[in-house]
Amino acid sequence: MSALIPRPTMEVAPGAVHVPDWLTLEQQRELVTACRDWATGPVPIRHTELPRGGVMSVQTVCVGWHWQPYQYTRIAGDVNGLRVAAFPDWMVDLGRRALTAAYGEAAAAADYTPDTALINFYDGQAKMGMHQDKDERSSAPVVSLSIGDTCVFRVGNTETRTKPYTDIELASGDLFVFGGPSRYIFHGVPKVHEGTADPATGLTSGRLNITMRVTGLTG
Ligand code: MD3
Ligand code: FE
């Protein structure tokens, strides 16, 4: 989004930094192309099944490690039994540049080596309830990249899934990094603003979110 009113970089909570318009349109198109490819296989994008029944409204495909509630594996046992695509080196580099952009510490960012990405696709009706991400055995930061429709992103607190929280608009090209005290913050996506995507991103409808993480797993 080329804003008439520029949106500044904001530390929303300690360690939670929003960097609007971080990705160029060309980078967004490249990421959309990569995600389209991963969505087709080896493990196709799907609505993740929840252990207590039901499925998530968001569709997810994983790279590096496969996530299902509430564990990471190399093999997608709940989808088709195949090994997920490898986590590419260019994405490690992108994660390090994201950390540098958010925290301004290139030396610390050089030690950041994400090994998994969850790629979420939201159609106009999809949402994500308030949750914490704690299936990783590492407290390293999570890097989030948004492409396509703008959404309302709810940043809560580390104690409860309820108030107090802050609602923020996440638009195409935005970067968000969650580290330090915010790594275990409750967060969710209560609403996607349908039809707000710029087709120049390569997405004509819906919202794509890529989160890079460090699983802390080996093998
Ligand atoms: C804060 N995804 O995949 S991105 C998720 O837009 C997830 O698809 C949302 O929550 C989405 O788990 C939100 C921002 C985000 C992602 C992971 C986090 C914030 C986070 C992990 C820890 C703390
Ligand atoms: Fe999350």
Side-chain angles (χ1 to χ4, degrees):
M1 188 173 75
S2 63
L4 179 59
I5 304 165
R7 297 174 302 146
T9 292
M10 285 261 290
E11 188 162 23
V12 175
V17 181
H18 179 205
V19 186
D21 298 311
W22 186 64
L23 294 167
T24 65
L25 273 175
E26 184 178 357
Q27 287 175 309
Q28 292 177 61
R29 279 194 294 272
E30 286 170 3
L31 284 168
V32 169
T33 300
C35 291
R36 278 216 169 90
D37 187 35
W38 286 319
T40 64
V43 180
I45 194 164
R46 90 298 187 204
H47 294 275
T48 302
E49 293 174 20
L50 297 168
R52 310 182 53 168
V55 292
M56 293 176 70
S57 60
V58 169
Q59 298 172 68
T60 305
V61 62
C62 308
V63 173
W65 289 85
H66 179 77
W67 179 79
Q68 73 182 95
Y70 293 94
Q71 61 171 329
Y72 286 97
T73 53
R74 289 293 195 189
I75 304 295
D78 60 333
V79 187
N80 63 1
L82 296 184
R83 187 183 169 106
V84 295
F87 192 88
D89 290 340
W90 61 260
M91 226 174 188
V92 176
D93 192 58
L94 186 63
R96 289 177 183 166
R97 283 186 277 123
L99 236 64
T100 306
Y103 296 147
E105 290 178 35
D111 291 332
Y112 182 64
T113 307
D115 63 347
T116 192
L118 270 62
I119 298 155
N120 294 326
F121 180 75
Y122 294 73
D123 63 22
Q125 273 69 54
K127 299 172 186 198
M128 193 177 287
M130 294 295 277
H131 67 278
Q132 289 172 301
D133 290 45
K134 43 184 190 183
D135 295 332
E136 302 79 19
R137 293 183 197 169
S138 160
S139 57
V142 174
V143 167
S144 153
L145 300 171
S146 294
I147 302 175
D149 283 344
T150 298
C151 75
V152 178
F153 177 60
R154 185 161 287 175
V155 186
N157 58 84
T158 54
E159 306 305 317
T160 74
R161 70 179 65 249
T162 59
K163 291 178 186 175
Y165 45 69
T166 309
D167 284 351
I168 288 161
E169 301 247 292
L170 277 187
S172 202
D174 287 8
L175 162 67
F176 221 129
V177 178
F178 289 83
S182 289
R183 175 62 180 78
Y184 297 105
I185 210 160
F186 280 93
H187 58 279
V189 177
K191 173 145 190 77
V192 172
H193 295 300
E194 230 180 323
T196 52
D198 176 354
T201 60
L203 260 197
T204 52
S205 72
R207 168 173 186 265
L208 206 50
N209 182 265
I210 303 166
T211 54
M212 293 179 231
R213 301 129 190 263
V214 178
T215 61
L217 300 169
T218 53

